Amino acid sequence: MIVFLLLASIAVIILLTTRFHLHPFLALFIVALAYGLASGMPLSMIMTSINQGFGDTLGKIGLIIVFGVLIGTFLENSGGAYTLAEKVLHAIGRKRISSAMAAIGYIVSIPVFADSGYLLIAPLAKSLSKKAMISVTGPAIALGLGLTASHVMVPPTPGPIAAAGILDADVGLVMLIGLPISALTLIPCAIFATRFASRIYVEPISQLSEDQLDNTLKSAPGVMRSSIPVVVPILLIVAKSAIQPYSEALNPSVLRLVSFFGEPVVALFIGTILSLTLPKKLDKEMLSTTGWVGQALKDASSILLITGAGGIFGKILQNSGIAQLLGDALAGVNLSIWLPFLIAAAIKTAQGSSTVALITAASIISPLMVTLGFDTPIEKALVVLAIGAGSAVVSHANDSFFWVLSQLSGMNVSTSYRLYTTGTLVLGTTAATIIFITYLILT
């Protein structure tokens, strides 16, 4: 019954947003509330889930979204995004933009959360699409899948590290095997984005008309200046991740400073301050409620509300017990290395968060490791990767990243389901197949 309610909820969200053109925030909130009532959750638990889902989600990524949108707005309106697009387009050519975005996303998401990475790189993907006169769907989906691939399979992102800890797997070995497997997984993802996603045309949304763009490009900042607001936050976040293994050997003051400035919120705020150097002349009107900042915050507010509502839906699903129910049901079936993948996939699809799916699936599999024959270091590392692959399958309305990607790229809900949700299925099943082959070869 509870699984049927999940499928019905997804169908209703799509129907309300596409057929009846209801705002996604209202659609998500209504369906989340209806699911909670229909599944028999106590009213107090429903209210707790609503408050926690909205608050926890925005508490983690709310300010990151705001500062990311601000950086993107200054990059676009100053012409900096188009300067970068010109250089990248000249280097890679018009036909390889999606592949480049997949590779960029993959590299960025190893140290940086996928949400933060997408907000930083999305302006470039949009600018490249506009400059090359192609649909934004290919580059946007490629970027999202590239970010997801390393996010779920390559430490030091929290999910794989937590799963490795629960299963007593060697983190270094997980990274050593995870890097080539996740990199190979990018190939079909890039093909999917280039051959399939790019066929569905979505206009690269721009705040500038063609005449305004021509005028803006005349006073646009150079490549170095344009890249600083994006590169500096990435380097700060990378530095925080890089020093963690050496924390005991470092001066405590240095460690505190690097950790502070490497927090995504602080790093992106610094990027926002640096983006103020992009206009040829910083006018106080740009910082007003009617200027660039005001417009950016209006754009961010819609994304925040929808992302928060997605968090509500995910938390209600999580607290309804569906993840544990699906996990326990699958745990009784011995499918070798496919078992951890399927458990993680069921939990991810049910409640939305890849990190929660990784941790929950690892907790379910942990007492079964010896029984299933996963006792060597390589086998443990492969189980972590199989869970990571499953935690990508599939992203939909209960995943906050689904809404970040769809809103920033300008795709509607049905298009996002056709492209990004399907893309995560391609990503996860491809990774699981490569892991299975690796398992056969190495064990």
Side-chain angles (χ1 to χ4, degrees), residues 105-114 145-164 170-186 241 354-355 358 381 384-389 391-392 427 431 435:
Y106 176 80
I107 294 167
V108 166
S109 195
I110 292 174
V112 178
F113 269 103
L145 295 177
L147 288 161
T148 302
S150 50
H151 179 74
V152 298
M153 286 185 279
V154 183
T157 46
I161 285 181
D170 186 306
V171 174
L173 193 57
V174 172
M175 181 179 286
L176 186 65
I177 303 174
L179 278 168
I181 287 176
S182 54
L184 282 173
T185 303
L186 275 191
S241 298
S354 293
T355 302
L358 272 154
V384 172
L385 294 175
I387 291 172
S391 73
L427 166 63
I435 291 164

Side-chain angles (χ1 to χ4, degrees), residues 89-103:
L89 194 61
H90 179 73
I92 65 175
R94 294 175 185 268
K95 295 182 179 179
R96 293 193 293 273
I97 294 174
S98 294
S99 299
M101 284 297 104

Side-chain angles (χ1 to χ4, degrees), residues 144-377:
L145 295 177
L147 288 161
T148 302
S150 50
H151 179 74
V152 298
M153 286 185 279
V154 183
T157 46
I161 285 181
I166 292 167
L167 298 175
D168 195 29
D170 186 306
V171 174
L173 193 57
V174 172
M175 181 179 286
L176 186 65
I177 303 174
L179 278 168
I181 287 176
S182 54
L184 282 173
T185 303
L186 275 191
I187 297 172
C189 290
I191 293 171
F192 172 82
T194 305
R195 300 284 177 84
F196 181 73
S198 60
R199 292 180 182 177
I200 300 174
Y201 188 80
V202 173
E203 180 75 24
I205 301 168
S206 175
Q207 298 175 12
L208 305 177
S209 66
E210 288 300 320
D211 290 338
Q212 287 174 320
L213 179 57
D214 290 338
N215 292 329
T216 301
L217 283 172
K218 292 176 183 176
S219 59
V223 174
M224 185 65 72
R225 220 166 97 212
S226 299
S227 62
I228 285 175
V230 176
V231 173
V232 168
I234 291 174
L235 290 177
L236 289 172
I237 297 170
V238 169
K240 181 188 174 184
S241 298
I243 67 165
Q244 293 307 315
Y246 313 103
S247 57
E248 293 182 3
L250 290 173
N251 183 295
S253 298
V254 173
L255 182 64
R256 282 194 297 270
L257 276 175
V258 175
S259 297
F260 174 75
F261 287 111
E263 280 292 325
V265 171
V266 177
L268 266 80
F269 176 66
I270 291 170
T272 301
I273 298 300
L274 292 172
S275 70
L276 300 181
T277 66
L278 295 177
K280 193 171 184 179
K281 181 182 179 183
L282 184 64
D283 190 330
K284 63 180 181 181
E285 176 62 26
M286 294 176 182
L287 308 179
S288 70
T289 54
T290 57
W292 293 3
V293 170
Q295 184 58 51
L297 293 179
K298 287 179 184 177
D299 295 340
S301 63
S302 179
I303 300 170
L304 288 169
L305 286 171
I306 294 168
T307 303
I312 291 172
F313 187 35
K315 180 60 74 172
I316 283 184
L317 288 171
Q318 187 178 335
N319 288 345
S320 72
I322 189 171
Q324 193 68 36
L325 176 71
L326 291 172
D328 290 344
L330 286 171
V333 184
N334 191 350
L335 297 169
S336 183
I337 199 73
W338 289 99
L339 178 60
F341 167 79
L342 290 173
I343 291 175
I347 295 169
K348 162 67 176 181
T349 304
Q351 54 76 49
S353 168
S354 293
T355 302
V356 170
L358 272 154
I359 294 169
T360 307
S363 300
I364 292 170
I365 285 290
S366 180
L368 303 174
M369 289 289 282
V370 176
T371 304
L372 295 171
F374 303 132
D375 47 15
T376 68

Side-chain angles (χ1 to χ4, degrees), residues 5 31-43 46 316:
L5 284 175
V31 170
L33 190 60
Y35 176 92
L37 293 169
S39 64
M41 289 177 68
L43 296 180
I46 292 174
I316 283 184

